[in-house]
Amino acid sequence: MTNPDQARILELREILTEAAAAYYHRGESNLSDSEFDRLFEELRQLEAKHPNLHDPESPTQRIGAPLESGSDLVSAEHIAPMLSIESLTSVEAVEEFVERARDVLELEEDEPLRWVLEPKFDGVSASLLYEKGKLVRILSRGDGRVGEDITHNLRTSRDVPLELEGDDEVPERVEVRGEVLLSKARFEVLRDYSETAGGTVFRNPRNTVAGTLKQLDPSIANRRGLEFVCWGVGALEGGTAETYGELREHLAGFGLRMGEPFGFADDPNDIVRYHDEVETDRESLPFDMDGIVAKVDRLDLQRRLGRTARTPRWMLAYKFAAQRAKTRVDSIKAQVGRTGVVTPVAELEPVELAGVTVRRATLHNWGLLEERDVRIGDLVDVERAGDVIPAVVHVHVDERDAKSKPIERPSHCPTCETGLEEDGPRLYCPNLACPDALRERVVHLSSRRALDIERLGPKNVDQLMSAGLLRQLEDVFTLDQKCDDILALDRWGEKSLDRLAEELEQARKPSFAKFLHALGIRHVGERTAQELAAEFETLEALREANEEALIEVDGVGPEVAASLRRFFDLETTKTFFAALADAGVEVQRAETKAGGEFEGRVFCFTGGLDTLSRDEAAALVEERGGKTSNSVTKKVTDVVAGAKAGSKLEKAKKLELNILDEEGFLALVGRGGGAQA
């Protein structure tokens, strides 16, 4: 082929088609977002240069990716196509997009154009069809025109109402568009369980969602806990909304979960400001997201702006900084975690990733390391996921040195040299006194979501262990009896020691759920600890429970029950609890939810809270027998409005619900005084 542009066009079409198929159908990322966008733009420019090479099947002309052959799922056509969104990566591009929309609408210079702002979730798109309020079917995005019927799987999600009910007029027919998601917390639970059980390997939340939706057995989707967040509509017949902001309120009133945080913008500066705020907070939010979406608010203006072959002209996506980078593996080392698990960690050539210099990346477990065949000297892609160290997500095998060798599993603990035990793809050090395991257990026990001993962060724990003041986990609770020894250490003074003493005094009377979570028992995370505390109410009752009784608890299966019994039956555990009693530790009895003061009440939180996180506020409600909701529906009884409360507050006022400011809520739960808003 003599024309180099033509050869490049064919090559780019092949690369991008395969990448789109992997992304939309298998939940995998063969290319980083930035690489995909760069190659897509290169192809678009080459095709514009050579219009004679136009092909309707080119990735630049298609939405999503063609359905894969051999699927067991039935396909069907969307009533309105599920379009892609124009992806922008700079402030200048956002300003140009907004100005282009204003020009098409022929707006005067001082005439406002309002935009609606939502997160761009990194999940699997789906379309829910309701006719006369009843759920008819659910389709995946597919190629944008035709998708696979996934009704049997997604209808198991509690976020998908089988019937739309509310105070607003229910449309005759509506395609509800949204994202199927798996929370970061739920993904970690699934991955932890699958690895210990030797089951399916879960690589990331999106990959897990994509695989789950292809299952024929809906009980699998039900167990995995898929969630659905609505971000718009396709076909719409009936209804009274004139703006997308109003439509959001109607959909929330029908029982659908809407994307948060939510906002409005009147100019590009507001869009950029919202983007930067969400990007800053993204790690603390429950779901993965890769940018924000801005839409023209007025529905009539959306129709006037129209669409191209693949994207609307009234909606943009402003992407976050790249979360993936390419680098080389210098070495692979074994690291001991707080439960004794020994995991492989890649030491990397330093690389900049989303503003951070990355030198290490997790390989999760030895089974996954062997499956991916990561070797010393390999070029790899690393990706940030939450606030943990980055993970190796792709190996460039085609660039590997021919002399490289696979990594062998270690036989002994890298810290204490105790022989390691195998549990499926994982390795464990059975020595409970292993120094590295002890360090991580102390750090975990002292963390904010456990016993919240701020003065026992990683650096101070290292210092106290080096000084011989922390030899066992129970030593934490007697540190305030070693004042002279601690004051002799660098960076410790009377004030910091007094602060530690205050924190230890509070930690000696922990809630049952937080104490159980703080112990770092294998497979017992924060949510499971809460369920166990609610069921057994006291530590003594839990310690005496057999596996059959434990399995009856929601979220506790045979593996978790066995892990709990092994932990409580260990002589070292019994010694540990005896030492805690001597140190004055009194685990508080769990409050019974049933019959609590908030029984029958449903709280919805909107806007930012100054003194509490959303999780902490929800916990206060649930501890008192109440429930929480992500949106204002007819079931909500109380709305707590923080700073910059938006449409939820307005909806609550219309429904004449009980509205509290943050001080009023704190007074209600006995944490201070305040008033109703």
Side-chain angles (χ1 to χ4, degrees), residues 49 54 68 176 190 319 422 428 458 473 492 520 599 614:
K49 181 180 175 182
H54 173 79
E68 296 182 311
V176 175
L190 289 176
K319 304 295 280 294
E422 289 195 11
Y428 290 91
L473 190 58
W492 284 91
E599 185 175 15
R614 287 282 183 91

Side-chain angles (χ1 to χ4, degrees), residues 329 332 369 372-380 395 400-407:
V329 177
I332 296 175
L369 168 62
R372 292 187 175 174
D373 191 22
V374 184
R375 304 182 184 183
I376 296 171
D378 278 349
L379 280 171
V380 296
V395 181
R400 169 179 287 165
D401 189 321
K403 296 180 180 180
S404 69
K405 296 180 180 179
I407 300 297

Side-chain angles (χ1 to χ4, degrees), residues 434-469:
C434 178
D436 278 356
L438 173 62
R439 175 192 185 274
E440 297 305 318
R441 282 201 297 271
V442 173
V443 170
H444 172 71
L445 179 135
S446 306
S447 64
R448 185 176 61 84
R449 301 185 75 92
L451 299 190
D452 196 16
I453 308 173
E454 186 178 350
R455 292 297 301 170
L456 292 185
K459 290 183 179 179
N460 284 347
V461 169
D462 288 340
Q463 185 185 36
L464 293 167
M465 288 182 65
S466 297
L469 302 178

